[in-house]
Structure formats: C-alpha cells, structure tokens
Amino acid sequence: MSSYELSNTLVKHYAGSLAYGTNLPTSDVDIRGIFCASPQEIRTPYFPVREVSLPDEEDGKLYELSNFMKLYTDCNPNIVETLWVDNSDIITSSPMYDYLREYRSGLLSSKVAHTFSGYAISQLKRIKGHNKWINNPQPVEAPKHEDFVKLVRNFTEAKIMGSHFNMDYLRGHSMVHYGGDIFGVFSGEGNTAITTQGDFNISCRQTSSGVEDHLPKYIVKYCAEEFKRAKEKHSQYWTWKNNRNEKRSALEESFGYDTKHAMHLIRLLRMGEEILTGQGVIVKRPDAQELLAIRSGEWEYEDLIKWADEKDKHIRGELYRNTSLRKKPDVKLAAKVLMECQDMCW
C-alpha cells in the first residue's frame, strides 16, 4: 500500500459477522474502511483509484472517499454500515471520520427500501435456486439424444409401445427430415440413424419431387429443444455441485437450504425496515442470537420463503411510501461534506 493510503486513512473497522455480533469461532475477520486519495488521484484522470486491499489482511478493503460517498448516497448496504458501525468495532479513526458521521442520517434516503430489500431478495433467489438443485439432483450421466426421440406413428406389424421405443429401433436405418421436429425412418443399407457419438446422421434420401418414394417404417419426433434444455440443466447442476463451498454445502445438506444465506436475508430485511422507520442503521444486531439460531436451521424453508416475500412487499410498499426519509439522495449535501472532508485530509 502506498504512503498516502496509510496517512489518509479515515477509518478502519471490523465488518461482517464481527460487526453484526453473529460471529462464530470459525468466522473470517473482515475489515473495511475509508481512505482519501491525494489531489493528484482526484484532480487528474491519470491515476484513478476506487479501492485498495489491505495486504496484511485476509479480507480487508478500504474504499476511496469519493467512491465511498457515491456508494453511500446510493444506499449500498455494505457501504452504509461503515458510518454506523459500533464504536467497539472501530480499529482506527480520525477527525474526518467523525465529521462524516455527523451527516450520516442526512445522507440516507428511501432508496434503502430497494437496496436492502434488493440485496435480501438476491439471497432469497440463491436459496430457492439451491433448494431446487438439492431436491432435484441430476444423474451423473448426461442426457442422451435417444431419450428425446418419441414414436409418432408405427407402420410395421410389430406392436411397439411408445414408451418402449428407443434408439435400437433406428440402428441400421436412415432418417428423412419431414420438417420441424418430425422425421421418417426408412430401411437403408449401410445407412445409420446414429453415429458412434450418439448424434443424429440425417440422411435425406428424397426424390426430386421432395417426397419419399415409399412409406417409412416409423415416423418419430426428435424433441431437440427439450434435449437442449435438459443438457443445460445437467451442466448447470454439476457446475453448481462441483463448485459448492464445503461449509455452505454442509448446511444445505443438513437443512435443505443455505441457512447462512437465510440469516443474511432476514438481517437485511430487518435493517431496511429499521432505517425506513427512523431507527437508523443498527449494525450491531440486538437480534444476534436469533439470527444465529436461524443459521442453525431454526426456521423451516417454507416459513422463511413466506416471511421474506411478505416483508419485502411491506418494505417496498407501505414503508417506502410513508417513510420520513428523503425520496432522493441529497447530493448537494454529499458534495459539500465530501469536499470539506477532502480539504481536512489534504
């Protein structure tokens, strides 16, 4: 880290579970903060800087002051917390940080209804998506073409049930495309409907009139779009399964859904409600023990989904309409505070 980042650090504080009071012995130590770049970085376009990582910390990040102020007025949940973190979680501070905190309420707006709920609902979507995979696992073997060939009409004397029709009936035959997803299956010496890779080898043995000169043995439907969707679903499932976080995977296997996502979902919705009702941003959670119980699987999946849907509608509806917060950020105030804070730093 360069010298200006060290000398112009406004604040460093614990973030994440440590700041919320929901940390466990196995929890990571997250550190966040703000620094003010030099006039050269701010007043010229040649040395842009938005954030830096702390080299000695596993998960440490400082946001440049201008970038921080923009994200704060956008009501980014992860950023907003920095001006409201509990004093016990502040590692280093400065008069500039104290100055910023004086204006923390005035820089909030009702956008929190959409940002906090938005972040929460993104967690909910991940929970629902993972729950779908957990309850509908895909087989190891990928889908095959033959599973998507359906018998439409049988012109042979053999009695073949549609559900029993398979690719063995096509081997040693050729297929004529009739249009769309319909094919005629004909006897054909040396022709085959399938390659060794399992793909179709469409043989168009048609007369000049474009009509086959005799009846096919079968008419079949190849459900190409269904095959494509099944193949994508199989690929998505195994990509998800092979890249799952081991700890989160254990939670999902134990409770049927990611309870850590659920804990953050509930925290975000509750914080959004608190801000909109004039309570400020309560980072150190008074409900920490309940949140930890939720992480341990106390809530049933169906109860979680119902609660989250109702709370999201309440926040974006009634609370958003009736909050005393400004509807739009006070960017003039934000600009004034930003420039005065920069002057203090420089």
Side-chain angles (χ1 to χ4, degrees):
M1 191 187 302
S2 56
S3 58
Y4 73 80
E5 294 158 14
L6 290 170
S7 61
N8 281 346
T9 297
L10 280 66
V11 65
K12 284 199 297 185
H13 64 87
Y14 293 117
S17 60
L18 279 171
Y20 305 138
T22 58
N23 56 300
L24 299 172
T26 55
S27 296
D28 296 330
V29 177
D30 300 333
I31 294 177
R32 296 291 180 267
I34 312 170
F35 74 96
C36 180
S38 69
Q40 179 177 247
E41 277 84 15
I42 298 299
R43 297 174 64 181
T44 74
Y46 307 116
F47 310 98
V49 56
R50 295 173 59 83
E51 59 187 56
V52 295
S53 297
L54 297 173
D56 299 329
E57 302 294 340
E58 183 177 343
D59 190 2
K61 182 182 294 184
L62 302 183
Y63 292 89
E64 200 286 315
L65 178 60
S66 297
N67 183 35
F68 173 84
M69 290 294 285
K70 177 64 171 64
L71 293 171
Y72 191 95
T73 52
D74 285 339
C75 296
N76 180 301
N78 294 330
I79 296 298
V80 164
E81 295 171 0
T82 289
L83 297 189
W84 297 81
V85 70
D86 192 82
N87 288 337
S88 63
D89 292 312
I90 295 175
I91 302 170
T92 61
S93 186
S94 68
M96 292 78 77
Y97 175 67
D98 294 337
Y99 175 75
L100 286 178
R101 280 168 69 106
E102 293 176 17
Y103 294 93
R104 62 187 184 180
S105 296
L107 293 173
L108 292 174
S109 72
S110 61
K111 287 183 70 174
V112 298
H114 304 297
T115 56
F116 275 76
S117 259
Y119 272 50
I121 296 307
S122 70
Q123 298 277 355
L124 184 62
K125 288 179 179 178
R126 294 176 71 179
I127 290 172
K128 288 181 176 179
H130 290 194
N131 180 261
K132 176 188 68 176
W133 291 135
I134 292 167
N135 293 316
N136 298 280
Q138 293 288 300
V140 175
E141 190 174 351
K144 298 178 180 178
H145 289 283
E146 60 192 71
D147 299 325
F148 297 87
V149 176
K150 311 298 181 185
L151 179 64
V152 176
R153 183 75 182 271
N154 174 20
F155 290 102
T156 70
E157 294 181 359
K159 292 183 178 180
I160 305 172
M161 297 294 292
S163 59
H164 296 154
F165 188 81
N166 57 57
M167 296 299 268
D168 288 336
Y169 289 99
L170 305 182
R171 298 186 188 279
H173 296 73
S174 59
M175 297 176 67
V176 175
H177 191 195
Y178 283 172
D181 51 11
I182 301 299
F183 295 83
V185 180
F186 293 84
S187 298
E189 295 181 5
N191 291 319
T192 179
I194 317 166
T195 68
T196 54
Q197 288 76 33
D199 295 322
F200 284 135
N201 176 21
I202 307 303
S203 173
C204 296
R205 299 185 298 104
Q206 293 181 314
T207 64
S208 58
S209 63
V211 180
E212 192 64 21
D213 54 8
H214 61 277
L215 282 176
K217 294 180 68 175
Y218 317 106
I219 293 178
V220 298
K221 178 179 181 180
Y222 171 50
C223 306
E225 286 301 315
E226 289 184 27
F227 171 71
K228 181 180 178 181
R229 287 194 294 270
K231 198 171 182 180
E232 288 176 353
K233 184 177 180 180
H234 182 272
S235 174
Q236 290 168 357
Y237 172 82
W238 284 101
T239 298
W240 166 75
K241 187 171 179 64
N242 292 331
N243 291 284
R244 293 166 81 190
N245 177 286
E246 289 186 10
K247 293 180 181 178
R248 307 299 275 271
S249 175
L251 292 175
E252 291 174 333
E253 295 295 338
S254 298
F255 305 108
Y257 68 97
D258 190 327
T259 54
K260 189 172 182 180
H261 280 323
M263 177 182 68
H264 289 308
L265 156 69
I266 292 167
R267 174 184 58 79
L268 284 162
L269 288 173
R270 286 179 175 174
M271 289 178 72
E273 183 175 36
E274 291 160 359
I275 298 168
L276 290 166
T277 53
Q279 300 176 60
V281 184
I282 305 174
V283 180
K284 186 68 77 178
R285 300 305 304 163
D287 55 351
Q289 291 307 307
E290 183 187 1
L291 290 174
L292 285 171
I294 291 166
R295 190 185 189 280
S296 297
E298 186 175 85
W299 284 29
E300 295 292 334
Y301 174 77
E302 292 76 14
D303 295 335
L304 170 71
I305 300 302
K306 181 181 178 182
W307 182 91
D309 285 338
E310 291 176 354
K311 186 66 70 175
D312 177 56
K313 290 176 183 176
H314 178 58
I315 288 173
R316 297 184 196 244
E318 181 182 353
L319 292 185
Y320 176 72
R321 290 192 300 270
N322 298 326
T323 183
S324 60
L325 292 176
R326 297 172 56 92
K327 290 300 179 188
K328 294 183 179 180
D330 190 342
V331 293
K332 289 186 177 179
L333 174 63
K336 169 184 173 294
V337 171
L338 171 60
M339 290 189 293
E340 290 186 358
C341 196
Q342 287 172 332
D343 288 343
M344 293 169 68
C345 290
W346 294 337

